[in-house]
Amino acid sequence: MRGGNIAVIGGSIAGCAAALAASRGGAERITVFERADAALRDRGVGIGVHDDRYAELRAAGYLADAMPWAPLNRRVWSVRDGDAEHGRALGTQPFPFRAYNWGSFWSELRRRVPETVTYRTGAPVDTVEPDADGATVRLADGQKDHFDLVIGADGYRSVVREAMHPGTGAAYAGYIGWRGTSPDVSGLPSDGLDAHNIVFPGGHCMAYRIPDGTGGHRLNWVLYTAPPRTDGLHPDLRTPTSLPPGRLNAELTGHLRALVAEHFPPFWSAKLLATPAETTFIQPIYDLDVPQYTTGRLLLIGDAASVARPHLGAGSVKALQDATALEAAWVAGESWKEILESYQAARGPVGTAMVGLARRMGSAQVEHTPDWSAMGQQEFDAWWQEQNNGSDRRSGFGGHSLKSR
């Protein structure tokens, strides 16, 4: 199947990957619509990619060795234990991941998008109106154009998904992720080669080293727990949103500081409490499993399609794997119908499985936490295995293998 006028809604990681897939598949014209009015801001947060998934995506031509990364070998789960500097390790597990900075990760993907692709910034899409021969994309300023295929890569608030499945939005999971990055990486255990999960009643915090984009490193952390009962969380978290740096009021900041001071070992408490306010924000946790990745001439990729809670460590990987499946379907298909049916068959079941596994992990790690203080390695291993019961190679921790399709 060659030719076609294609629109990609969203210019982030999923959008760049979708444009690359469409170009390799043989699309004649590709236009990416990105709502940001300039180059996407370097968000500075961390992305983890399992070593095996990286190898597959590099072989597929979506990732490259040149992208700055920091190696991770193990994940150490620790609980506060009196005045012990780093707490007590209750469990360790292999963690063969590559840690990236979101900004450099996106920049590399953006660089790989062919120059023949039209990448429009400052072009928020208001609606997508499907018809028998494609869909009309209408921008917020009233401009509109018709396309043979529209790819929704516009995240968990996708307007393309709304056109496909009206009223089907991401559901709030009942807890949030506090995120932050700090330039202070001094004294990290194991020379920064381990990821660390600091656990407490009602949640945990994951901390690890990432590149800072200038040849050094930053400490990236995300703390999952239920928010305080306060009016300070605005707007309503049931509507997909986030609270960027500068939107955390004194009450929210005070709640975070008190939680960390009470439950974290001294070393990790000091690290988090020293994180600059301008790099600290709140990311409410959502999930979503759509009934179909494709409808008519509309197609979803990444978080626009399914939103799995981040405990899987596979969000960006999933978007890139969606793109590789789309490219394969495009190369093999002889019609739009064949392309979309093949893509749905390859990615729909995977998305459903990932959402289910991530929900089980969220329940075990945040919503119904165990008595961490009573755990040793044996108890930890049994607890971890219970979360993964019922999963398979298609949806495991770190993302499924492309070879398992």
Side-chain angles (χ1 to χ4, degrees), residues 10-294:
S12 190
I13 288 173
C16 290
L20 187 56
S23 175
R24 291 176 173 179
E28 180 180 2
R29 289 187 294 163
I30 305 168
T31 304
V32 176
F33 295 94
E34 166 54 42
R35 67 169 43 251
D37 57 7
L40 289 178
R41 184 178 52 161
D42 182 352
R43 300 175 188 176
V45 297
I47 292 175
V49 178
H50 192 285
D51 285 357
D52 291 344
R53 305 292 78 76
Y54 171 80
E56 292 174 344
L57 289 166
R58 180 188 60 187
Y62 285 81
L63 297 182
D65 289 337
M67 300 170 70
W69 61 285
L72 296 172
N73 298 329
R74 301 185 308 163
R75 182 158 62 163
V76 180
W77 296 67
S78 301
V79 63
R80 182 167 181 169
D81 185 17
D83 294 328
E85 185 71 4
H86 297 98
R88 177 180 67 85
L90 59 92
T92 62
Q93 59 188 164
F95 199 73
F97 273 70
R98 302 164 70 99
Y100 293 91
N101 183 301
W102 189 97
S104 60
F105 195 89
W106 171 80
S107 295
E108 171 62 21
L109 279 173
R110 176 69 183 90
R111 186 186 67 80
R112 298 173 78 82
V113 174
E115 293 183 359
T116 53
V117 173
T118 301
Y119 190 102
R120 295 185 55 183
T121 60
V125 173
D126 188 46
T127 59
V128 174
E129 302 161 0
D131 56 47
D133 300 318
T136 296
V137 172
R138 187 183 301 273
L139 303 186
D141 63 5
Q143 295 183 55
K144 62 179 182 178
D145 200 356
H146 188 269
F147 296 88
D148 298 310
L149 176 70
V150 175
I151 301 173
D154 46 343
Y156 63 102
R157 292 181 284 190
S158 173
V159 296
V160 181
R161 185 180 63 237
E162 179 62 22
M164 294 172 59
H165 308 294
T168 302
Y172 176 49
Y175 57 94
I176 61 178
W178 256 290
R179 301 199 68 150
T181 61
S182 170
D184 182 11
V185 294
S186 60
L188 289 179
S190 304
D191 295 325
L193 295 177
D194 291 341
H196 294 270
N197 273 33
I198 302 92
V199 300
F200 55 89
H204 72 277
C205 174
M206 185 174 182
Y208 56 94
R209 189 181 60 159
I210 63 172
D212 65 1
T214 61
H217 293 91
R218 297 181 67 84
L219 180 66
N220 175 81
W221 57 264
V222 54
L223 187 157
Y224 301 105
T225 192
R229 296 182 179 276
T230 173
D231 292 333
L233 282 176
H234 180 77
D236 187 347
L237 294 183
R238 291 172 297 181
T239 301
T241 187
S242 62
L243 294 181
R247 290 281 301 279
L248 303 186
N249 59 27
E251 185 177 5
L252 285 171
T253 300
H255 177 83
L256 173 63
R257 296 183 70 85
L259 185 153
V260 170
E262 178 181 0
H263 293 295
F264 280 46
F267 176 85
W268 293 111
S269 175
K271 289 296 186 189
L272 263 69
L273 295 180
T275 301
E278 60 268 22
T279 63
T280 305
F281 64 98
I282 283 180
Q283 177 185 17
I285 305 304
Y286 301 94
D287 55 25
L288 169 69
D289 182 23
V290 296
Q292 286 284 124
Y293 273 40
T294 64

